[in-house]
Amino acid sequence: MEEGVYKVTMEESNRPWGKFTVIKDETNFKLKMIEVNPGQRLSYQYHNKRSEVWTIVEGSGEVVIDGKKNSLKYGDCIKIDKKSKHRIFNNSDTILKFIEVQTGSYFGEDDIVRIDDDYNRVS
C-alpha cells in the first residue's frame, strides 16, 4: 500500500431511526457516519468503555447530554464523555448526518446501555 494511504472499511447497518456506516474500525478508534431520519431519535444511552465526538455534516437536530438540551447544525461538534447519558433527535424534515469518532478501550455495539428507547430495544 502507498505511504499515507490506508484501507477504508465500510460496514452498513440499518436501524429503526435510520442507519450507520462504519468507515474505519481500528484498535484505538472507530469512525462512523450516522444518518437519522426526519422525526426520529436514537435511544437515550451511555457507554462504559468509550467516548464519542459528533460532527454534524448535514441537517440539524437536538442533542441531550445528561439532561441538557442543545441545538446542533451543520459544522457543529459535540463531545460525549464515557458514561454520559446522551441522545440525538432529528427534529427537522430532512435527513440528519453526523460523523462519530469513538475513542476508548472497546467499540462493540454491546457497550450501549439504553435508558429510554422509542423502539423497545433492550440493552
Side-chain angles (χ1 to χ4, degrees):
M1 197 172 280
E2 285 181 46
E3 185 178 329
V5 176
Y6 59 92
K7 181 181 166 198
V8 174
T9 306
M10 300 293 266
E11 165 200 333
E12 194 170 279
S13 183
N14 291 317
R15 293 289 187 259
W17 43 259
K19 69 179 178 179
F20 71 80
T21 304
V22 176
I23 299 166
K24 188 75 175 163
D25 191 355
E26 296 289 330
T27 56
N28 60 336
F29 76 94
K30 190 171 199 173
L31 180 63
K32 289 182 177 179
M33 167 71 79
I34 298 179
E35 300 180 27
V36 184
N37 293 327
Q40 302 299 307
R41 63 183 180 172
L42 279 63
S43 60
Y44 194 48
Q45 60 184 261
Y46 66 91
H47 312 286
N48 287 306
K49 299 180 180 177
R50 70 176 184 246
S51 59
E52 299 171 344
V53 174
W54 294 351
T55 301
I56 308 301
V57 296
E58 190 175 313
S60 62
E62 182 179 83
V63 67
V64 177
I65 299 178
D66 292 326
K68 295 178 185 172
K69 292 181 184 181
N70 284 298
S71 294
L72 296 176
K73 63 187 180 329
Y74 174 79
D76 288 342
C77 297
I78 195 149
K79 184 174 191 298
I80 302 159
D81 293 323
K82 190 181 340 176
K83 297 190 179 188
S84 285
K85 298 174 188 102
H86 61 280
R87 87 176 340 155
I88 194 164
F89 171 49
N90 182 350
N91 56 0
S92 77
D93 58 1
T94 61
I95 198 155
L96 167 63
K97 292 183 184 180
F98 61 96
I99 300 294
E100 176 180 273
V101 180
Q102 302 175 3
T103 55
S105 60
Y106 178 73
F107 310 114
E109 292 298 302
D110 57 345
D111 184 33
I112 298 173
V113 180
R114 289 188 177 93
I115 299 158
D116 182 50
D117 184 64
D118 296 344
Y119 315 101
N120 299 313
R121 296 172 296 170
V122 179
S123 293

